[in-house]
Amino acid sequence: MFANGAAGVTIFFILSGVVLGLSLDFDKSRLPSRYGKFLIKRFFRIYPAHVVCLLILCTVLIVFGIVNPGTFEKSSMFYNWFYRTAPDARAIITNLMLKQTYLNSVTWSVKVEMIVALFFPVLHLVSRANNNRAPFVQLIILLLLIGLSIVNPGGGVVLPHVYKFYLGLLIPTYGMALAAFFKYKKLSISTPTIVTLSIVAILVERQLVYGSYPGFGVIQALGAAVLIYVLMQNSGGWLFRLKALKKLGQYSYSFYLWHFPILWLMYYGLHTNLIFHGLIHSHAFALACVICVISIFAAYLFALISYLAIEHRGIIFGRNVATKFWS
Protein backbone atom coordinates (compact mmCIF):
# COMPACT_ATOMS: atom_id res chain seq x y z
CA MET A 1 0.00 0.00 0.00
CA PHE A 2 2.75 2.43 0.94
CA ALA A 3 4.79 1.66 -2.18
CA ASN A 4 2.53 3.99 -4.11
CA GLY A 5 4.58 6.28 -6.29
CA ALA A 6 1.48 7.61 -8.04
CA ALA A 7 0.19 9.02 -4.75
CA GLY A 8 3.45 10.89 -4.22
CA VAL A 9 3.33 12.38 -7.71
CA THR A 10 -0.33 13.39 -7.26
CA ILE A 11 0.53 15.20 -4.02
CA PHE A 12 3.49 16.84 -5.76
CA PHE A 13 1.34 18.12 -8.65
CA ILE A 14 -1.33 19.53 -6.34
CA LEU A 15 1.27 21.07 -4.05
CA SER A 16 2.92 22.62 -7.12
CA GLY A 17 -0.41 24.22 -7.97
CA VAL A 18 -0.66 25.66 -4.46
CA VAL A 19 2.91 26.96 -4.24
CA LEU A 20 3.13 28.32 -7.78
CA GLY A 21 -0.26 29.96 -7.39
CA LEU A 22 0.77 31.69 -4.17
CA SER A 23 4.00 32.88 -5.81
CA LEU A 24 2.02 34.37 -8.71
CA ASP A 25 -0.23 36.14 -6.20
CA PHE A 26 2.72 38.36 -5.30
CA ASP A 27 3.28 39.38 -8.92
CA LYS A 28 0.98 42.32 -9.59
CA SER A 29 2.19 42.97 -13.14
CA ARG A 30 -0.03 42.55 -16.18
CA LEU A 31 -0.64 39.08 -17.56
CA PRO A 32 1.85 39.25 -20.50
CA SER A 33 4.67 40.28 -18.17
CA ARG A 34 3.62 37.81 -15.48
CA TYR A 35 3.37 35.06 -18.08
CA GLY A 36 6.80 35.74 -19.54
CA LYS A 37 8.54 35.94 -16.17
CA PHE A 38 6.86 32.78 -14.96
CA LEU A 39 7.88 30.75 -18.02
CA ILE A 40 11.50 31.89 -17.91
CA LYS A 41 11.90 31.23 -14.20
CA ARG A 42 10.13 27.89 -14.42
CA PHE A 43 12.32 26.75 -17.33
CA PHE A 44 15.60 27.54 -15.60
CA ARG A 45 14.29 26.06 -12.35
CA ILE A 46 13.46 22.68 -13.90
CA TYR A 47 15.30 21.99 -17.14
CA PRO A 48 19.05 22.40 -16.36
CA ALA A 49 18.97 19.87 -13.51
CA HIS A 50 17.18 17.39 -15.76
CA VAL A 51 19.82 17.81 -18.49
CA VAL A 52 22.77 17.32 -16.14
CA CYS A 53 21.22 14.31 -14.42
CA LEU A 54 20.42 12.60 -17.73
CA LEU A 55 23.85 13.27 -19.24
CA ILE A 56 25.63 11.89 -16.17
CA LEU A 57 23.39 8.82 -16.15
CA CYS A 58 23.99 8.13 -19.86
CA THR A 59 27.74 8.63 -19.42
CA VAL A 60 27.80 6.04 -16.62
CA LEU A 61 25.75 3.57 -18.66
CA ILE A 62 27.96 3.94 -21.75
CA VAL A 63 31.40 4.16 -20.11
CA PHE A 64 30.84 1.16 -17.84
CA GLY A 65 28.95 -0.81 -20.47
CA ILE A 66 25.92 -1.28 -18.25
CA VAL A 67 23.18 -3.23 -20.00
CA ASN A 68 20.18 -4.70 -18.23
CA PRO A 69 20.17 -8.51 -18.59
CA GLY A 70 16.43 -8.47 -17.90
CA THR A 71 16.75 -11.19 -15.29
CA PHE A 72 16.65 -9.28 -12.00
CA GLU A 73 15.42 -11.72 -9.39
CA LYS A 74 13.53 -10.99 -6.19
CA SER A 75 12.64 -7.53 -7.46
CA SER A 76 9.83 -5.82 -9.30
CA MET A 77 9.57 -6.58 -13.01
CA PHE A 78 9.72 -2.82 -13.35
CA TYR A 79 13.50 -3.00 -12.93
CA ASN A 80 13.79 -5.38 -15.88
CA TRP A 81 12.28 -2.88 -18.31
CA PHE A 82 15.07 -0.31 -18.41
CA TYR A 83 18.46 -0.02 -20.11
CA ARG A 84 18.17 -3.21 -22.14
CA THR A 85 20.49 -1.56 -24.66
CA ALA A 86 23.08 1.18 -24.29
CA PRO A 87 21.63 4.65 -24.97
CA ASP A 88 22.54 5.99 -28.41
CA ALA A 89 22.65 9.60 -29.58
CA ARG A 90 19.04 9.57 -30.78
CA ALA A 91 17.78 8.21 -27.46
CA ILE A 92 19.77 10.77 -25.49
CA ILE A 93 18.55 13.70 -27.60
CA THR A 94 14.89 12.68 -27.51
CA ASN A 95 15.07 12.19 -23.75
CA LEU A 96 16.86 15.49 -23.25
CA MET A 97 14.04 17.15 -25.18
CA LEU A 98 11.51 15.22 -23.04
CA LYS A 99 9.99 13.82 -26.20
CA GLN A 100 10.74 10.44 -24.64
CA THR A 101 11.29 9.79 -20.94
CA TYR A 102 12.43 6.18 -20.70
CA LEU A 103 16.10 6.80 -19.86
CA ASN A 104 15.10 8.29 -16.52
CA SER A 105 11.58 7.08 -15.94
CA VAL A 106 10.64 9.78 -13.44
CA THR A 107 11.09 12.55 -16.01
CA TRP A 108 7.59 11.95 -17.40
CA SER A 109 6.39 14.18 -14.56
CA VAL A 110 9.03 16.78 -15.45
CA LYS A 111 7.49 16.83 -18.91
CA VAL A 112 4.07 17.38 -17.34
CA GLU A 113 5.42 20.27 -15.24
CA MET A 114 7.04 21.92 -18.27
CA ILE A 115 3.94 21.70 -20.46
CA VAL A 116 1.51 22.76 -17.74
CA ALA A 117 3.73 25.80 -17.13
CA LEU A 118 2.76 27.05 -20.62
CA PHE A 119 -0.79 27.81 -19.53
CA PHE A 120 -0.53 27.82 -15.73
CA PRO A 121 -0.66 31.65 -15.43
CA VAL A 122 -3.97 31.62 -17.31
CA LEU A 123 -5.38 28.98 -14.94
CA HIS A 124 -4.11 31.11 -12.07
CA LEU A 125 -5.90 34.16 -13.44
CA VAL A 126 -9.17 32.24 -13.69
CA SER A 127 -8.78 30.73 -10.22
CA ARG A 128 -8.30 34.18 -8.67
CA ALA A 129 -11.30 35.82 -10.36
CA ASN A 130 -13.52 37.53 -7.84
CA ASN A 131 -17.01 38.26 -9.11
CA ASN A 132 -20.48 36.76 -8.90
CA ARG A 133 -19.88 34.30 -11.72
CA ALA A 134 -16.37 33.29 -10.65
CA PRO A 135 -17.27 30.31 -8.42
CA PHE A 136 -19.50 28.84 -11.13
CA VAL A 137 -16.87 29.30 -13.86
CA GLN A 138 -14.09 27.91 -11.65
CA LEU A 139 -16.14 24.85 -10.77
CA ILE A 140 -17.06 24.23 -14.42
CA ILE A 141 -13.40 24.44 -15.47
CA LEU A 142 -12.40 21.99 -12.74
CA LEU A 143 -15.13 19.56 -13.80
CA LEU A 144 -14.13 19.92 -17.46
CA LEU A 145 -10.49 19.19 -16.67
CA ILE A 146 -11.48 16.18 -14.59
CA GLY A 147 -13.81 15.11 -17.39
CA LEU A 148 -10.99 15.27 -19.93
CA SER A 149 -8.90 12.99 -17.72
CA ILE A 150 -11.84 10.57 -17.48
CA VAL A 151 -12.89 10.36 -21.12
CA ASN A 152 -9.33 10.32 -22.41
CA PRO A 153 -7.09 8.86 -19.66
CA GLY A 154 -4.49 7.85 -22.22
CA GLY A 155 -4.51 11.23 -23.92
CA GLY A 156 -0.79 11.79 -23.73
CA VAL A 157 1.24 12.27 -20.59
CA VAL A 158 -0.12 15.68 -19.62
CA LEU A 159 -3.90 15.73 -20.08
CA PRO A 160 -4.86 13.36 -17.24
CA HIS A 161 -2.95 15.50 -14.71
CA VAL A 162 -3.84 19.12 -15.54
CA TYR A 163 -6.78 19.18 -13.14
CA LYS A 164 -4.44 18.38 -10.23
CA PHE A 165 -2.54 21.63 -10.71
CA TYR A 166 -5.81 23.53 -11.00
CA LEU A 167 -7.12 21.80 -7.89
CA GLY A 168 -4.03 23.07 -6.08
CA LEU A 169 -4.77 26.59 -7.29
CA LEU A 170 -8.26 26.41 -5.80
CA ILE A 171 -7.21 25.10 -2.38
CA PRO A 172 -6.51 28.47 -0.65
CA THR A 173 -9.88 29.96 -1.66
CA TYR A 174 -12.22 27.00 -1.58
CA GLY A 175 -10.59 25.37 1.42
CA MET A 176 -11.45 28.43 3.48
CA ALA A 177 -14.94 28.59 1.97
CA LEU A 178 -15.67 24.95 2.83
CA ALA A 179 -14.30 25.42 6.33
CA ALA A 180 -16.57 28.44 6.81
CA PHE A 181 -19.54 26.47 5.47
CA PHE A 182 -18.94 23.62 7.92
CA LYS A 183 -18.60 26.09 10.76
CA TYR A 184 -21.81 27.89 9.74
CA LYS A 185 -23.73 24.61 9.58
CA LYS A 186 -22.15 23.56 12.88
CA LEU A 187 -20.78 20.42 11.29
CA SER A 188 -17.80 19.41 13.34
CA ILE A 189 -15.22 16.92 12.07
CA SER A 190 -12.02 16.55 14.03
CA THR A 191 -8.71 17.21 12.29
CA PRO A 192 -7.36 13.70 12.99
CA THR A 193 -10.48 12.23 11.36
CA ILE A 194 -10.06 14.39 8.26
CA VAL A 195 -6.37 13.53 8.00
CA THR A 196 -7.09 9.82 8.39
CA LEU A 197 -9.81 9.82 5.73
CA SER A 198 -7.56 11.81 3.38
CA ILE A 199 -4.67 9.38 3.77
CA VAL A 200 -7.01 6.44 3.19
CA ALA A 201 -8.29 8.09 -0.01
CA ILE A 202 -4.72 8.74 -1.17
CA LEU A 203 -3.35 5.28 -0.50
CA VAL A 204 -6.20 2.84 -0.91
CA GLU A 205 -7.74 3.78 -4.26
CA ARG A 206 -4.96 2.28 -6.36
CA GLN A 207 -5.01 -1.00 -4.44
CA LEU A 208 -8.78 -1.51 -4.29
CA VAL A 209 -10.24 -0.15 -7.50
CA TYR A 210 -7.36 0.17 -9.94
CA GLY A 211 -8.68 0.34 -13.49
CA SER A 212 -12.21 -0.63 -12.47
CA TYR A 213 -13.92 2.69 -13.16
CA PRO A 214 -13.49 5.77 -15.36
CA GLY A 215 -11.67 8.61 -13.66
CA PHE A 216 -9.35 6.54 -11.57
CA GLY A 217 -7.15 8.87 -9.53
CA VAL A 218 -9.75 11.55 -8.82
CA ILE A 219 -10.47 10.25 -5.31
CA GLN A 220 -6.75 10.14 -4.65
CA ALA A 221 -6.35 13.74 -5.84
CA LEU A 222 -9.27 15.00 -3.74
CA GLY A 223 -7.85 13.26 -0.68
CA ALA A 224 -4.47 14.86 -1.33
CA ALA A 225 -6.06 18.31 -1.73
CA VAL A 226 -7.90 18.00 1.59
CA LEU A 227 -4.77 16.77 3.36
CA ILE A 228 -2.67 19.65 1.99
CA TYR A 229 -5.27 22.21 3.06
CA VAL A 230 -5.51 20.81 6.59
CA LEU A 231 -1.73 20.79 6.96
CA MET A 232 -1.60 24.42 5.79
CA GLN A 233 -3.88 25.56 8.59
CA ASN A 234 -2.90 26.55 12.12
CA SER A 235 -3.33 23.02 13.43
CA GLY A 236 -0.80 21.66 10.98
CA GLY A 237 0.91 24.76 9.64
CA TRP A 238 3.85 24.22 11.98
CA LEU A 239 4.85 21.31 9.75
CA PHE A 240 5.59 23.64 6.83
CA ARG A 241 7.61 25.93 9.09
CA LEU A 242 10.07 23.23 10.11
CA LYS A 243 13.55 24.15 8.90
CA ALA A 244 14.38 20.55 8.03
CA LEU A 245 11.23 20.22 5.93
CA LYS A 246 11.97 23.47 4.11
CA LYS A 247 15.44 22.19 3.26
CA LEU A 248 13.97 18.91 2.07
CA GLY A 249 11.56 20.89 -0.08
CA GLN A 250 14.47 22.76 -1.64
CA TYR A 251 16.23 19.56 -2.62
CA SER A 252 13.10 17.54 -3.42
CA TYR A 253 13.20 18.07 -7.19
CA SER A 254 16.81 16.94 -7.54
CA PHE A 255 16.12 14.08 -5.14
CA TYR A 256 13.24 13.05 -7.36
CA LEU A 257 15.44 13.16 -10.47
CA TRP A 258 18.23 11.10 -8.96
CA HIS A 259 16.42 8.53 -6.83
CA PHE A 260 15.47 6.10 -9.61
CA PRO A 261 18.84 6.00 -11.44
CA ILE A 262 20.66 5.50 -8.14
CA LEU A 263 18.29 2.79 -6.95
CA TRP A 264 18.42 0.98 -10.30
CA LEU A 265 22.21 1.11 -10.50
CA MET A 266 22.48 -0.26 -6.98
CA TYR A 267 20.19 -3.16 -7.87
CA TYR A 268 22.22 -3.75 -11.00
CA GLY A 269 25.42 -3.86 -8.94
CA LEU A 270 23.88 -6.38 -6.56
CA HIS A 271 22.69 -8.70 -9.30
CA THR A 272 26.03 -8.69 -11.11
CA ASN A 273 28.09 -9.29 -7.97
CA LEU A 274 28.36 -12.99 -7.14
CA ILE A 275 28.60 -12.43 -3.39
CA PHE A 276 25.54 -10.22 -3.18
CA HIS A 277 23.70 -12.35 -5.72
CA GLY A 278 23.74 -15.19 -3.21
CA LEU A 279 22.43 -12.92 -0.48
CA ILE A 280 19.52 -11.90 -2.71
CA HIS A 281 18.16 -15.43 -2.46
CA SER A 282 18.85 -15.96 1.23
CA HIS A 283 18.15 -12.51 2.69
CA ALA A 284 16.11 -10.70 0.05
CA PHE A 285 13.96 -8.58 2.36
CA ALA A 286 16.78 -7.49 4.67
CA LEU A 287 19.00 -6.65 1.71
CA ALA A 288 16.20 -4.65 0.06
CA CYS A 289 15.77 -2.59 3.25
CA VAL A 290 19.50 -1.87 3.40
CA ILE A 291 19.55 -0.87 -0.27
CA CYS A 292 16.58 1.46 0.21
CA VAL A 293 18.25 3.22 3.14
CA ILE A 294 21.57 3.56 1.33
CA SER A 295 19.89 4.77 -1.87
CA ILE A 296 17.95 7.43 0.07
CA PHE A 297 21.14 8.85 1.55
CA ALA A 298 22.94 8.62 -1.80
CA ALA A 299 20.07 10.33 -3.63
CA TYR A 300 19.96 13.04 -0.96
CA LEU A 301 23.70 13.64 -1.37
CA PHE A 302 23.35 13.93 -5.15
CA ALA A 303 20.30 16.16 -4.66
CA LEU A 304 22.26 18.47 -2.37
CA ILE A 305 25.07 18.78 -4.92
CA SER A 306 22.60 19.21 -7.77
CA TYR A 307 20.72 21.95 -5.96
CA LEU A 308 23.80 23.93 -4.97
CA ALA A 309 25.64 23.52 -8.28
CA ILE A 310 22.76 23.65 -10.76
CA GLU A 311 19.28 24.38 -9.44
CA HIS A 312 20.15 27.33 -7.22
CA ARG A 313 22.19 28.94 -9.96
CA GLY A 314 19.40 28.27 -12.44
CA ILE A 315 16.89 29.94 -10.13
CA ILE A 316 19.05 33.05 -9.80
CA PHE A 317 19.85 33.14 -13.52
CA GLY A 318 16.20 32.69 -14.47
CA ARG A 319 15.14 35.43 -12.07
CA ASN A 320 17.73 37.82 -13.53
CA VAL A 321 16.74 37.03 -17.12
CA ALA A 322 13.04 37.40 -16.31
CA THR A 323 13.65 40.74 -14.61
CA LYS A 324 15.76 41.99 -17.51
CA PHE A 325 13.26 41.15 -20.24
CA TRP A 326 9.99 41.61 -18.34
CA SER A 327 10.71 44.38 -15.86
Side-chain angles (χ1 to χ4, degrees):
M1 178 181 293
F2 292 96
N4 192 341
V9 175
T10 294
I11 293 173
F12 180 75
F13 285 160
I14 296 174
L15 198 55
S16 287
V18 175
V19 174
L20 294 176
L22 293 175
S23 69
L24 282 172
D25 287 342
F26 290 101
D27 190 343
K28 303 302 181 182
S29 57
R30 292 179 177 273
L31 181 60
S33 175
R34 194 187 319 164
Y35 182 83
K37 286 188 287 186
F38 177 82
L39 283 184
I40 291 172
K41 289 191 287 187
R42 198 71 186 139
F43 176 83
F44 286 105
R45 170 70 173 82
I46 294 175
Y47 195 68
H50 153 65
V51 170
V52 173
C53 177
L54 189 67
L55 290 178
I56 291 176
L57 171 62
C58 291
T59 300
V60 170
L61 293 173
I62 294 170
V63 170
F64 293 96
I66 296 174
V67 177
N68 187 350
T71 56
F72 284 179
E73 302 175 45
K74 301 289 185 178
S75 63
S76 169
M77 286 300 296
F78 181 73
Y79 286 93
N80 287 310
W81 296 347
F82 295 95
Y83 316 126
R84 302 297 292 269
T85 59
D88 56 18
R90 180 183 178 85
I92 295 172
I93 292 172
T94 55
N95 278 263
L96 283 173
M97 296 172 62
L98 293 172
K99 187 176 181 180
Q100 301 289 340
T101 57
Y102 57 83
L103 287 180
N104 186 355
S105 67
V106 301
T107 54
W108 72 267
S109 61
V110 178
K111 181 177 182 177
V112 172
E113 288 270 357
M114 294 285 286
I115 295 177
V116 168
L118 294 174
F119 49 86
F120 187 85
V122 177
L123 291 177
H124 172 264
L125 187 67
V126 174
S127 71
R128 297 305 191 258
N130 186 19
N131 53 57
N132 293 334
R133 295 182 180 180
F136 175 75
V137 173
Q138 291 159 355
L139 180 61
I140 290 297
I141 291 176
L142 177 61
L143 292 176
L144 284 174
L145 291 174
I146 292 175
L148 287 174
S149 72
I150 292 175
V151 300
N152 193 13
V157 175
V158 180
L159 189 60
H161 302 285
V162 175
Y163 78 90
K164 298 172 185 177
F165 292 86
Y166 188 66
L167 190 60
L169 277 169
L170 297 178
I171 284 176
T173 302
Y174 284 86
M176 293 177 62
L178 285 174
F181 174 79
F182 273 77
K183 185 176 181 180
Y184 175 75
K185 293 293 184 178
K186 297 181 180 180
L187 300 173
S188 178
I189 304 177
S190 66
T191 299
T193 301
I194 296 174
V195 170
T196 301
L197 292 175
S198 300
I199 292 174
V200 169
I202 292 169
L203 296 178
V204 173
E205 183 184 26
R206 176 171 290 270
Q207 278 67 37
L208 295 185
V209 291
Y210 182 77
S212 62
Y213 72 99
F216 166 76
V218 175
I219 294 175
Q220 187 179 77
L222 292 174
V226 172
L227 180 63
I228 290 170
Y229 173 75
V230 171
L231 293 178
M232 288 173 63
Q233 302 314 298
N234 292 332
S235 57
W238 61 270
L239 193 63
F240 290 96
R241 293 191 292 271
L242 289 176
K243 188 175 181 179
L245 194 62
K246 288 181 179 179
K247 285 293 182 183
L248 185 61
Q250 281 185 327
Y251 310 144
S252 61
Y253 172 57
S254 282
F255 183 90
Y256 181 70
L257 283 177
W258 282 100
H259 84 276
F260 175 74
I262 288 174
L263 189 59
W264 190 92
L265 288 170
M266 292 186 72
Y267 267 105
Y268 175 84
L270 286 177
H271 283 81
T272 54
N273 185 293
L274 294 178
I275 297 176
F276 285 110
H277 193 271
L279 290 175
I280 290 173
H281 291 277
S282 58
H283 300 85
F285 180 75
L287 194 59
C289 291
V290 172
I291 292 302
C292 284
V293 172
I294 295 174
S295 66
I296 288 172
F297 280 102
Y300 184 82
L301 177 61
F302 274 79
L304 176 61
I305 296 171
S306 175
Y307 178 80
L308 295 176
I310 304 163
E311 274 191 77
H312 184 61
R313 296 182 181 185
I315 292 170
I316 295 174
F317 182 77
R319 188 185 303 148
N320 292 337
V321 172
T323 302
K324 181 178 180 180
F325 286 96
W326 296 96
S327 57

